Amino acid sequence: MSESTQPHQQANNLWSSRMAFILAAAGSAVGLGNIWKFPYITGENGGGAFVLIYLACIFLIGVPVLIAETMIGRRGGQSPVATMRTLTKTEGTARGWRAIGWNGVIASFLVLSFYAVIGGWALVYIGKAATGLFTGADAEAIGGQFGGLLANPWELLLWHSVFMAIVVFIVGRGIRSGLEKAVNMLMPLLFLLLIAMVIYAMNSGSFGRAVSFMFSPDFSKLTTAGVLTALGHAAFTLSIGIGVLMAYGSYLPKTVNIARTAMTIAVVDTSVALLAGLAIFPLVFANGLEPGAGPGLIFVTLPLAFGQMSGGALFGTIFFALLLVAAITSAISMLEPVVEWLEEHKGVSRAKSALGGGLAIWVIGIGTVLSFNVWDSVHPLGFIPFFEGKTVFDLLDFLVSNLMMPLGGLAIALFAGWAMKREGLPADIGLQGGSYTAFMFVLRYLTPAGIAVVFLYNLV
Ligand code: PHE
């Protein structure tokens, strides 16, 4: 394939190093999913056994799609839509596979519209922690603070806007001077903050209990629903199936070994999730809180612990800063497919694409802002039994996390495993001989079967 059909594969445009790509892709993977969701679903599903299944899903289902999606992106070297259009031609496949590209651009557009609202919560909570609002507050007061935030559309809108502005600014500056610079600074910061939290938690007295909760599997606590939650979360946390890795992969130098790189990204992502658990559960146990408290775990339960402990204002601030950093590096990756599409298909400059795309996403995000208050009883597709009782936010989350991401991942596994030509694949993926054969077996059979099971389950 000639260079001109792969516009992103120009030397001045590429990630400057393998490390730069790893930081950006790991930055995308490590997000609210790791720090907010992983701890609470682990808590709800009884700990160790759930963690074990989650790890298996990451490596058997997540990593193969991560590899395939990055490889497809690099081969196409364009926006997800154009990449899929080119590949269906060069690989001689059915045109229908192009839906993968569209699915990616639309899903990343939609996911950012609500992710940015939650990102705004992190901004608010940094302020709350830093100004000592949790100090000495009881459960009711802290619950009231969270409820008060959700009930106030203007406050939500303000922080949603600030969060989106940060994201647009970074993405608008381009791959090297925007995304790379940002992740070069933010990812090490994230690790430092996380280590600080874990060290604090180690001294809190309940560290041992947290370790055994997370790592000694008790299979009697694991339900079928728990297994499927683990599977679904493995896809979400690795950012697969949504065009993001395809977009990032389009700037990946040809010399980089994708299989090895993907493994590194998965290991980083998993380590952050586990460390987040090790930072949070000791505090939960030390303060007699409930690990299975659900989605409010870090916004309602944890502030209670920060309010009781010495240095809690400082550690609370650190914790929510950590959450913010993780959310930003994920959010910039969500804007990337949209921006690439605007650049290539509408011929708009990068800065303007980021601004225009960001603005459109911000507008859609207002739907999510309102669904926590003014529109909390508005159920747009409520007349369809399936969507009954779902607010705008619930609907978007369901659409993206339960439909578009798994279907995208499934299609990518099938496209790379069955539809693409075999020649050149081992070199492109970076595997040879037995490990290539084993990989292809997993990609062709195990991965699609696994995703199909979760997908069908989520529908029922
Ligand atoms: N992986 C991110 C997280 O864990 C979420 C994400 C989904 C990012 C889809 C990009 C694309 O929070």
Side-chain angles (χ1 to χ4, degrees):
M1 206 180 293
S2 78
E3 287 297 316
S4 63
T5 60
Q6 300 172 297
H8 299 181
Q9 289 283 322
Q10 311 284 332
N12 60 348
N13 220 0
L14 297 171
W15 297 107
S16 63
S17 63
R18 172 172 178 264
M19 194 57 195
F21 175 77
I22 290 179
L23 285 181
S28 170
V30 173
L32 298 170
N34 301 60
I35 298 166
W36 166 61
K37 196 161 182 197
F38 175 75
Y40 93 70
I41 56 179
T42 299
E44 281 181 339
N45 288 288
F50 176 83
V51 172
L52 210 61
I53 299 292
Y54 167 78
L55 292 178
C57 294
I58 287 279
F59 292 100
L60 284 178
I61 292 166
V63 172
V65 178
L66 182 55
I67 293 175
E69 188 171 343
T70 311
M71 181 269 292
I72 291 172
R74 182 166 72 179
R75 270 209 185 181
Q78 304 159 79
S79 77
V81 171
T83 280
M84 287 311 299
R85 189 177 50 214
T86 304
L87 289 191
T88 49
K89 285 185 203 144
T90 54
E91 302 291 322
T93 70
R95 290 167 55 104
W97 293 108
R98 294 180 184 187
I100 293 176
W102 282 109
N103 179 65
V105 172
I106 297 168
S108 43
F109 180 93
L110 294 177
V111 74
L112 182 52
S113 80
F114 65 83
Y115 205 83
V117 177
I118 320 268
W121 299 358
L123 279 163
V124 174
Y125 269 70
I126 294 175
K128 284 190 192 288
T131 52
L133 276 183
F134 305 141
T135 313
D138 60 10
E140 206 177 324
I142 282 174
Q145 290 184 21
F146 189 56
L149 170 66
L150 295 191
N152 187 340
W154 293 109
E155 195 179 358
L156 289 179
L157 186 66
L158 169 67
W159 298 107
H160 163 55
S161 312
V162 173
F163 186 89
M164 273 311 291
I166 299 173
V167 173
V168 164
F169 177 77
I170 296 174
V171 177
R173 294 175 54 94
I175 290 293
R176 288 226 180 146
S177 42
L179 279 69
E180 258 193 54
K181 279 220 178 103
V183 294
N184 273 339
M185 200 178 72
L186 295 174
M187 290 306 282
L189 178 68
L190 182 131
F191 262 98
L192 282 178
L193 293 173
L194 195 54
I195 300 297
M197 282 298 297
V198 175
I199 290 176
Y200 183 88
M202 277 177 159
N203 298 316
S204 78
S206 293
F207 194 72
R209 199 161 150 215
V211 171
S212 75
F213 177 72
M214 284 177 65
F215 298 109
S216 40
D218 172 358
F219 280 92
S220 70
K221 288 193 187 142
L222 194 67
T223 58
T224 322
V227 174
L228 297 165
T229 303
L231 240 157
H233 186 63
F236 186 79
T237 190
L238 291 178
S239 315
I240 56 179
I242 189 170
V244 162
L245 288 156
M246 217 182 273
Y248 274 12
S250 71
Y251 298 103
L252 186 64
K254 290 269 192 279
T255 47
V256 172
N257 180 312
I258 290 181
R260 217 154 34 98
T261 305
M263 266 320 252
T264 312
I265 294 164
V267 167
V268 171
D269 183 68
T270 305
S271 315
V272 171
L274 296 177
L275 285 172
L278 289 177
I280 291 172
F281 287 118
L283 301 184
V284 168
F285 291 127
N287 291 278
L289 304 169
E290 176 50 53
L297 186 65
I298 70 166
F299 290 106
V300 180
T301 307
L302 217 49
L304 205 57
F306 293 135
Q308 307 297 320
M309 65 205 215
S310 59
L314 176 65
F315 279 95
T317 311
I318 292 180
F319 178 79
F320 288 108
L322 173 68
L323 189 69
L324 176 69
V325 169
I328 289 176
T329 55
S330 293
I332 57 179
S333 77
M334 296 170 183
L335 188 51
E336 185 60 27
V338 178
V339 165
E340 288 184 10
W341 179 76
L342 284 169
E343 277 186 298
E344 278 175 29
H345 298 259
K346 304 281 162 213
V348 189
S349 75
R350 177 167 263 269
K352 286 196 182 133
S353 298
L355 198 62
L359 207 63
I361 291 169
W362 176 83
V363 170
I364 303 295
I366 295 174
T368 292
V369 164
L370 295 178
S371 61
F372 294 109
N373 36 69
V374 184
W375 287 357
D376 61 0
S377 48
V378 174
H379 308 134
L381 297 178
F383 55 90
I384 305 172
F386 207 61
F387 298 121
E388 215 177 317
K390 285 194 160 54
T391 62
V392 175
F393 167 68
D394 296 335
L395 206 61
L396 288 172
D397 181 23
F398 181 85
L399 203 67
V400 175
S401 315
N402 293 357
L403 299 179
M404 297 177 94
M405 286 185 74
L407 278 184
L410 178 62
I412 286 166
L414 294 175
F415 182 72
W418 296 90
M420 283 174 74
K421 292 180 185 144
R422 291 307 183 86
E423 73 236 36
L425 265 195
D428 250 15
I429 287 171
L431 290 173
Q432 286 152 1
S435 38
Y436 173 73
T437 314
F439 168 79
M440 281 312 267
F441 176 79
V442 175
L443 183 70
R444 299 182 84 187
Y445 300 99
L446 264 157
T447 308
I451 302 177
V453 169
V454 198
F455 178 67
L456 292 177
Y457 170 82
N458 278 337
L459 283 188
V460 192

